[in-house]
Every structure is written in structure tokens, then in C-alpha cells.
Amino acid sequence: MSPLPAPGGPSLPAPRADLAMREGYHSAQVGAEVRLNTNESPYPPPPEWQAELLAEMAGIAWNRYPERAARALREAIADLHGVRPGQVFAANGSNEVLQALCLAYGGPGRRALTFEPTYALHAHIAHLTGTAVVQAERAGDFRLDPAAAAAAVSGVRPAVTFLCSPNNPTGLVEDPETVEAVLRAGPGILVVDEAYGQFAATSALGLVGDATPLVVCRTFSKTWSLAALRLGYAVAPGEVVGMLERVALPYHLDAVKQAAGRLALRHRQAMEQRVAGLVAERERLVAAMAALPVRVWPSQANFVLFRPEGRAGLDVWKALVERSVLVRDTSSWPGLDGCLRVTVGTPAEDDRFLAALAEVLT
Ligand code: PMP
């Protein structure tokens, strides 16, 4: 038997060549009193939900694997949206849904199309699954014209096209005409990421059907105040759901998560009240920012993109961190020169942010 490699012996094997040049996901997790950088809800879920979950956990058969198809959870999600459970795929955060989509419909020799600037993980996850990524650009105002979107799809012929509505980090919603134009242009699957869907007035959910190559992704991380839970889902044609199940690891949804998600859906009204409160607070925040030397983009999400005038984005970000206010530095992202993104927090948090920003900029 040959000896194990000794210290100083041959180095570790090289990873996949196409990963060597890629950085992992990066979002600064620096300590700050006011954290407005990751678009979480500033409010916890209802205490009744927590009590119900604790009671339910007493009945879990811990020595057994969880129910593999997550049937009850998918039924509850299907009820929420008026679709069949067979049109719902649930996973560990909507990021895992996106990964499953790329595994099933992307992969070597296939292309994914994004419209930048948008959620960076669309391109990142596609790359990780060996899918080639074509990054088309939005217009200067970050809008995506239906004809331009359709032309990109016809030219690139992607296996997967990503839209994000409201779009992270710009906050803009996609016009329904754009969604329909992409669907008509085909080929491939259109993924509309609606992680912030309930903050906006429009949704692509109504277009989902078994004969339409459309997948809408949602998450419990934002509007449901459950970022710690890591639960997201897709509403999709039944055939697509079958493919996503095929690429998901067996028992990927643990028993606690299944119960927690199902019980959360009983508190829909509380969720809608939190969302309405955050939308009103967003409007207050945007109105207050109008008095400062920043450009602000209109948002239909729980965050606001802004560009300080005459100041480098990174300098402003650092000055805010010095005042214990953490926002997202998007200033080095393609197409977002000088921009920062702030999550809508509680009124007290937003006041801290506004005061710090005013101090830094004036
Ligand atoms: N899509 C978008 C547009 C997001 O902004 C996020 C979270 N930042 C996600 C998906 C991932 O959410 P989850 O926590 O469900 O993985």
C-alpha cells in the first residue's frame, strides 16, 4: 500500500478549471447597529407561528427521514397561489431552486441569459452548473424594453432566461409585455425571480401553466420574515417540477423546514400587513432621500438603489459603516457605478440611515 501524501509532498489537485477564476458569493457581514444590506424583513414572524412550530416539533419522528415530497407544504403553497401541488417545487431558499433549474435545463453546451444589472446569483449559479452565461444589458434607466429582450433571446437562443421582478438591485418591475415577449421569442425556460414579488403590484404568476415554459420563483426570506429558515419555491409546469425533483438531493427539505413553511402560510394576513407597512415606509424613505444630494431610483421592492452625487460610492459606504449603518455597496457592479442599495428597515433604523447619509453628504 502506498503511503499517504506527506506534508510538503504533492499539492492538492486542481479544482475544475472553469471555477478557478470565479470568486464565491460575497456580501460584507460587518457588525453594525443598523443593518440594511441584505433586504431582510426588519420584523420577526408572528409569535403565534413560533408557538405552533414548537408544538409541531414535539411530534416529529426524529429517527426517520422527512417526507420526501414535502406534500403538505406544497399543498399549502399551491393553495396560496391557486395552482396544483404538482406545479410547486420547494427547496432550501430560492437560490436552491435556481440551482436546480440550471442543473435541469442548463449545463455544459447550454446558455443562460441575464439582463444586467440584476441579481448576481443568476449568472453565478449558472456558471457553477457549467452553463455558459450571456449577460445582455438593460437600457441606461435600467428598464428592459420588450423588443430588446425578445431580440436578445432570439439571438442568444438560451436554454434558460432570467428576469427578476422587482429587479434586485434596481427595484424596478418588469413590464408584463417584456415577460410575454421573452416567452414568445423562446426557446428555453423563462425564470422570473419574484423574491420581492409581494412588494410589487404585478406578478407573472398568472401566466404559469403546464404548456408555458415559465417558472416563477418566490421565497420565504423576505416578505415572510423567515430568512433564517432557508425556504423558497418555484411555481412551474408540472413537467418542469418533475425535472427539478429529479436533480434535487433526496430528503433535501428537512422536517422542521417543511412544518415551519406550512405553518407560516397560516399567517398570511400578518405577512400582508408587514408588507403594506414596509411599502409605506419605503415611500417615506424615498421622499426623505429626495432632499439629499443623491439620485434615487423608483422601487417596488423593500430596498432602494441610490447614487450619491459627486462622491465615490465606496467612500460613502465606508462613512456610513463608521456611523454603524450598513448598506450594500453595489458601486463596483457592472452598470452601477457609484450606486448603493439600502434595505427598508424600521422607521427608527431608516431615520438613523437618513441622518447618517445627510451627515456624510452635506
Ligand atoms: N432572488 C433574489 C432576487 C434575491 O434578492 C435573493 C436574496 N437576496 C434570492 C433570490 C435568494 O433568496 P433565498 O433566501 O430564498 O435563497
Side-chain angles (χ1 to χ4, degrees):
M1 201 162 53
S2 57
L4 287 173
S11 54
L12 295 172
R16 261 167 54 187
D18 60 332
L19 294 188
M21 297 301 293
R22 302 209 68 80
E23 282 185 30
Y25 176 72
H26 180 76
S27 173
Q29 280 200 313
V30 303
E33 286 162 18
V34 178
R35 285 173 47 194
L36 302 174
N37 65 327
T38 42
N39 300 342
E40 294 143 321
S41 171
Y43 303 112
E48 301 81 31
W49 168 81
Q50 230 178 77
E52 287 162 12
L53 179 58
L54 285 177
E56 185 111 2
M57 281 171 68
I60 289 178
W62 292 102
N63 53 319
R64 301 292 178 188
Y65 282 110
E67 205 256 305
R68 201 168 62 212
R71 223 157 292 173
L73 170 64
R74 287 166 60 199
E75 272 168 22
I77 295 170
D79 257 10
L80 177 71
H81 295 303
V83 297
R84 302 192 316 277
Q87 293 176 309
V88 175
F89 172 76
N92 293 284
S94 51
N95 281 339
E96 198 190 32
V97 176
L98 298 169
Q99 185 190 50
L101 281 161
C102 287
L103 286 170
Y105 291 95
R110 291 179 164 223
R111 284 181 295 276
L113 175 63
T114 64
F115 295 94
E116 305 292 331
T118 190
Y119 182 46
L121 268 275
H122 293 159
H124 184 71
I125 291 170
H127 275 298
L128 291 181
T129 61
T131 315
V133 178
V134 180
Q135 293 174 290
E137 281 176 18
R138 289 165 184 277
D141 60 359
F142 300 138
R143 297 206 176 272
L144 184 57
D145 171 64
V153 171
S154 304
V156 173
R157 301 188 64 74
V160 184
T161 300
F162 291 102
L163 292 177
C164 188
S165 186
N167 188 27
N168 178 9
T170 64
L172 302 180
V173 292
E174 301 298 6
D175 291 333
E177 294 77 35
T178 303
V179 174
E180 286 168 25
V182 170
L183 282 174
R184 267 195 293 273
I189 294 267
L190 169 60
V191 178
V192 181
D193 184 337
E194 293 190 356
Y196 306 93
Q198 295 97 324
F199 292 111
T202 55
S203 167
L205 275 169
L207 294 174
V208 174
D210 281 341
T212 310
L214 170 67
V215 176
V216 176
C217 299
R218 292 223 164 169
T219 178
F220 283 71
S221 298
K222 319 287 181 181
T223 51
W224 291 98
S225 293
L226 288 169
L229 188 62
R230 308 302 300 125
L231 179 61
Y233 61 91
V235 182
E239 189 182 311
V240 173
V241 169
M243 287 312 303
L244 299 180
E245 280 167 349
R246 210 180 285 186
V247 298
L249 295 175
Y251 310 111
H252 67 141
L253 285 179
D254 64 78
V256 178
K257 189 183 315 255
Q258 291 186 33
R262 175 170 48 77
L263 294 170
L265 296 177
R266 290 188 188 166
H267 302 279
R268 178 179 177 178
Q269 213 183 349
M271 179 276 281
E272 285 169 352
Q273 274 166 8
R274 287 194 305 274
V275 167
L278 286 168
V279 167
E281 175 63 8
R282 177 188 73 208
E283 296 312 306
R284 184 186 79 91
L285 179 64
V286 167
M289 289 172 81
L292 297 172
V294 294
R295 167 151 188 210
V296 179
W297 278 268
S299 169
Q300 285 204 37
N302 67 333
F303 52 82
V304 177
L305 187 75
F306 66 100
R307 181 190 283 139
E309 281 165 12
R311 289 284 298 272
L314 184 58
D315 289 349
V316 174
W317 182 83
K318 282 184 186 156
L320 290 173
V321 170
E322 280 163 17
R323 288 158 180 80
S324 213
V325 174
L326 182 61
V327 300
R328 189 70 188 265
D329 175 22
T330 55
S331 62
S332 61
W333 296 12
L336 292 178
D337 247 8
C339 293
L340 302 175
R341 188 195 69 195
V342 61
T343 303
V344 179
T346 62
E349 288 173 328
D350 296 340
D351 284 343
R352 278 278 305 267
F353 160 73
L354 287 165
L357 187 63
E359 195 180 293
V360 170
L361 294 181
T362 52

